[in-house]
Amino acid sequence: MSTLKKTAIWITLLALFLKLSGFLRESIVARQFGATEFTDGYLLAFSFITLIVAMISGGFNNVFLPMYVKHKKDRAEETERNANGVMNATVMIFLVVSVVGAIFVPYFVPFIFGNMSPTTEEVAVKMTRLFFYAMSGIALNGILESYLQGRRIFVPAQISKILATLMGAVFAILFSEQMGIYSLGYGFIFGTVVGIFIQFYYLLKSGFSWSPTLLVETDFRKAFIALIIPSLLNSVVGQINMFVNKAFASGTGDGAVTYLNNASLLVAIPNTIYATTIAAIIFTLLSEQVDDKKKFQNTMHMGMMISLVTLLPIAVGLFLLGKEALTFIYQGGEFTAADTQNTYIALVLYLPMIVAQGLQFIVSKSMYARGKTATIFKISVTTIALNALLNWLIVDDLGYPGLAVTSSAVAIYYLTISSIVVYKDFERSEITRLLTLFVRVLVPTLLMAVPIYLLKEFTIVGELHYLIRLVGLGLLGVVLYVAGLYLFYREAFRQLLALVRRKKGQPNKS
């Protein structure tokens, strides 16, 4: 693709379609299976898929991409050969994991998740075994995304993700009577396989030549292993926290895992779109600019600005209209109004994560681009203890909402410590610029939020059909926020426009 504009537009549209596909799947699950032991078992099993995706898209990509970009500049042929070896070796490792994991599923699933009902445990074990059979393919799908991103090819990876998600929904519609909730797993696997072929086709089309080799140059291998170990451990830390949360949730009553999952899916929309679009592009730029301190700082600040400008109003908007959104997506069939209210409680408590995780994407990517994987791991590993301690202290009293509280608290802690580490290496003016950013974004956000709150709570608007409130007040919020941004923070308004106009590799300075 010739310009960043074309790339950003395509992957943003595809990311939006991906989330719509995800909600189509979850809506089908909610209406056909409700918030039950079956859905809890399915969601617990899907945690292992999330683990592998995090290891590859996070742990693997955060190390491979900077190394690939750096070495390809001077030693293109050798780098491509090393890339082949790394890909093949990684798939072989996950093939072994698939076999061993499938054998021992009945033992480690009950151990990890603890207090499950018999039905939840049966579904979780069977679904986890199904996913482990396909684990090496799921890993390869993520690896191909990293290789394409290294070549500045972003669209095929989004198409692959859409297929995996959409096929889960399609299979649930077509085969749920025959396969039950397991139709979701078969659909996900089918879509993943098709996505592998699509990504591999575009990788070969870009000039990549695959060869069946496991050989990697000694220097490249040593450097890769030295960085990949702490990076993978860091990605596992996040999943350990997730497993801890789901283990606590499985003991707080039927449907708790589903309430938390459905709320977190809505909260994850902004960051999923952001991470697969703007953050992915910014990470590529940071990897290329690591030797130019001024450009590096400017690009990072641009990322922090875009994160806050886009994610803070979304978080506030979900607080105001989240119940209407949940009603539209989930409520109906087996998913009742009471289920929607329980999900909204979790949603509100998850909202700080939207902003915290969006900013953390940029902070972490800047550290990965500079090869500081060990530092990230040292910080993130402390979140395990904090997460477990907070869960132990408050979950018994608050129930499943306590898990949302701990997740948000840990996300804020992680962002704070990471930012301190990063900004201590920058000029002091960068800290001032960051703090000023928070204040300037708050003004247009309040200009948006206050009128919507007043209209909803104190006028007839609050009595209208939920869909009218969702669409009407949502559009009003967008107009008010854009107007406020233009009036009170014109620099950010212009930079957002400039982001999609400039050529790739030419970061806009602020």
Side-chain angles (χ1 to χ4, degrees):
M1 295 184 178
S2 58
T3 65
L4 187 59
K5 177 179 180 179
K6 186 176 180 181
T7 301
I9 289 174
W10 269 109
I11 60 178
T12 300
L13 290 174
L14 290 172
L16 287 169
F17 187 72
L18 171 61
K19 294 312 297 181
L20 290 175
S21 301
F23 277 114
L24 172 63
R25 180 188 63 193
E26 298 306 320
S27 179
I28 290 169
V29 173
R31 283 168 167 77
Q32 291 194 349
F33 302 103
T36 64
E37 295 167 309
F38 290 96
T39 54
D40 283 356
Y42 158 71
L43 293 170
L44 292 175
F46 203 79
S47 301
F48 293 98
I49 296 299
T50 307
L51 171 64
I52 299 305
V53 171
M55 290 178 68
I56 298 301
S57 64
F60 182 89
N61 182 55
N62 287 334
V63 172
F64 175 79
L65 181 60
M67 286 190 64
Y68 184 78
V69 171
K70 179 180 178 181
H71 288 81
K72 190 179 178 182
K73 291 179 181 178
D74 303 320
R75 305 172 67 244
E77 185 176 344
E78 293 83 353
T79 300
E80 296 296 347
R81 188 163 54 246
N82 289 329
N84 262 292
V86 170
M87 177 194 293
N88 297 336
T90 305
V91 172
M92 292 294 292
I93 291 172
F94 275 100
L95 188 59
V96 174
V97 171
S98 296
V99 175
V100 175
I103 294 173
F104 290 98
V105 161
Y107 303 100
F108 66 75
V109 168
F111 174 77
I112 291 174
F113 296 118
N115 299 322
M116 295 181 287
S117 69
T119 301
T120 299
E121 181 174 334
E122 179 184 358
V123 174
V125 168
K126 289 182 178 180
M127 189 75 79
T128 301
R129 174 168 280 157
L130 174 63
F131 286 142
F132 263 90
Y133 286 142
M135 199 66 75
S136 57
I138 295 168
L140 176 59
N141 203 37
I143 292 169
L144 292 173
E145 178 184 354
S146 296
Y147 281 57
L148 287 167
Q149 187 176 333
R151 292 167 172 266
R152 295 195 174 199
I153 302 173
F154 299 93
V155 172
Q158 288 293 90
I159 295 175
S160 177
K161 292 175 183 177
I162 289 171
L163 285 170
T165 302
L166 193 58
M167 286 300 103
V170 171
F171 271 54
I173 293 172
L174 297 178
F175 306 116
S176 60
E177 292 187 5
Q178 296 84 3
M179 302 179 182
I181 201 164
Y182 302 101
S183 58
L184 293 163
Y186 286 108
F188 177 85
I189 293 170
F190 176 79
T192 298
V193 172
V194 176
I196 290 173
F197 283 105
I198 291 174
Q199 289 199 91
F200 200 71
Y201 168 77
Y202 279 97
L203 186 60
L204 294 176
K205 188 177 178 181
S206 70
F208 182 83
S209 178
W210 180 80
S211 60
T213 179
L214 297 176
L215 296 178
V216 180
E217 289 180 330
T218 302
D219 291 342
F220 191 96
R221 182 176 66 250
K222 288 182 178 179
F224 184 79
I225 292 175
L227 294 173
I228 196 67
I229 291 176
S231 184
L232 288 175
L233 289 173
N234 181 52
S235 67
V236 172
V237 165
Q239 298 309 306
I240 290 175
N241 284 331
M242 180 192 67
F243 282 124
V244 169
N245 288 348
K246 289 191 175 181
F248 274 94
S250 64
T252 59
D254 293 342
V257 176
T258 302
Y259 298 145
L260 291 166
N261 176 77
N262 289 354
S264 65
L265 283 174
L266 190 56
V267 168
I269 291 178
N271 283 321
T272 300
I273 295 173
Y274 180 77
T276 54
T277 55
I278 304 301
I281 295 171
I282 288 175
F283 184 34
T284 303
L285 295 175
L286 288 172
S287 299
E288 295 171 349
Q289 297 166 357
V290 69
D291 295 326
D292 190 324
K293 185 176 180 180
K294 187 62 177 177
K295 284 186 176 182
F296 189 89
Q297 289 181 173
N298 282 333
T299 299
M300 180 171 174
H301 179 76
M302 179 181 66
M304 298 292 276
M305 183 200 69
I306 295 171
S307 296
L308 198 61
V309 165
T310 55
L311 299 179
L312 181 59
I314 291 175
V316 174
L318 283 176
F319 173 77
L320 296 170
L321 300 173
K323 191 170 183 179
E324 286 82 356
L326 291 171
T327 301
F328 173 69
I329 297 168
Y330 297 115
Q331 191 168 310
E334 297 297 320
F335 202 87
T336 66
D339 293 326
T340 299
Q341 177 61 29
N342 290 336
T343 304
Y344 177 69
I345 293 171
L347 173 70
V348 170
L349 298 174
Y350 270 136
L351 289 179
M353 292 176 59
I354 293 179
V355 179
Q357 289 185 343
L359 295 173
Q360 183 65 43
F361 275 129
I362 304 301
V363 174
S364 294
K365 295 301 185 184
S366 73
M367 296 173 76
Y368 280 120
R370 298 164 69 188
K372 293 189 174 185
T373 56
T375 303
I376 299 175
F377 173 66
K378 290 176 183 178
I379 298 171
S380 61
V381 75
T382 63
T383 65
I384 297 177
L386 178 62
N387 187 52
L389 175 62
L390 291 176
N391 284 337
W392 180 72
L393 289 174
I394 70 175
V395 169
D396 284 343
D397 293 330
L398 297 182
Y400 75 91
L403 293 163
V405 173
T406 61
S407 296
S408 294
V410 169
I412 294 171
Y413 160 81
Y414 190 20
L415 171 64
T416 302
I417 301 301
S418 300
S419 298
I420 291 173
V421 171
V422 169
Y423 276 87
K424 74 177 183 179
D425 294 333
F426 288 175
E427 299 167 3
R428 187 172 296 273
S429 60
E430 291 297 314
I431 300 176
T432 303
R433 187 157 64 148
L434 179 64
L435 295 176
T436 303
L437 175 63
F438 279 87
V439 177
R440 299 188 69 178
V441 175
L442 186 61
V443 175
T445 301
L446 290 174
L447 182 65
M448 170 201 75
V450 172
I452 291 178
Y453 175 79
L454 294 176
L455 284 171
K456 186 179 176 182
E457 296 298 324
F458 300 104
T459 72
I460 194 174
V461 172
E463 300 176 5
L464 298 176
H465 189 272
Y466 75 88
L467 194 55
I468 297 176
R469 296 198 305 271
L470 179 62
V471 176
L473 293 179
L475 291 174
L476 176 62
V478 172
V479 172
L480 290 175
Y481 181 71
V482 172
L485 198 63
Y486 180 80
L487 291 173
F488 297 104
Y489 196 4
R490 198 161 300 180
E491 176 189 354
F493 181 85
R494 289 172 177 170
Q495 188 142 25
L496 285 173
L497 295 180
L499 176 67
V500 296
R501 290 174 179 167
R502 74 182 194 279
K503 297 291 183 179
K504 292 168 71 174
Q506 297 175 348
N508 205 9
K509 297 182 180 181
S510 58

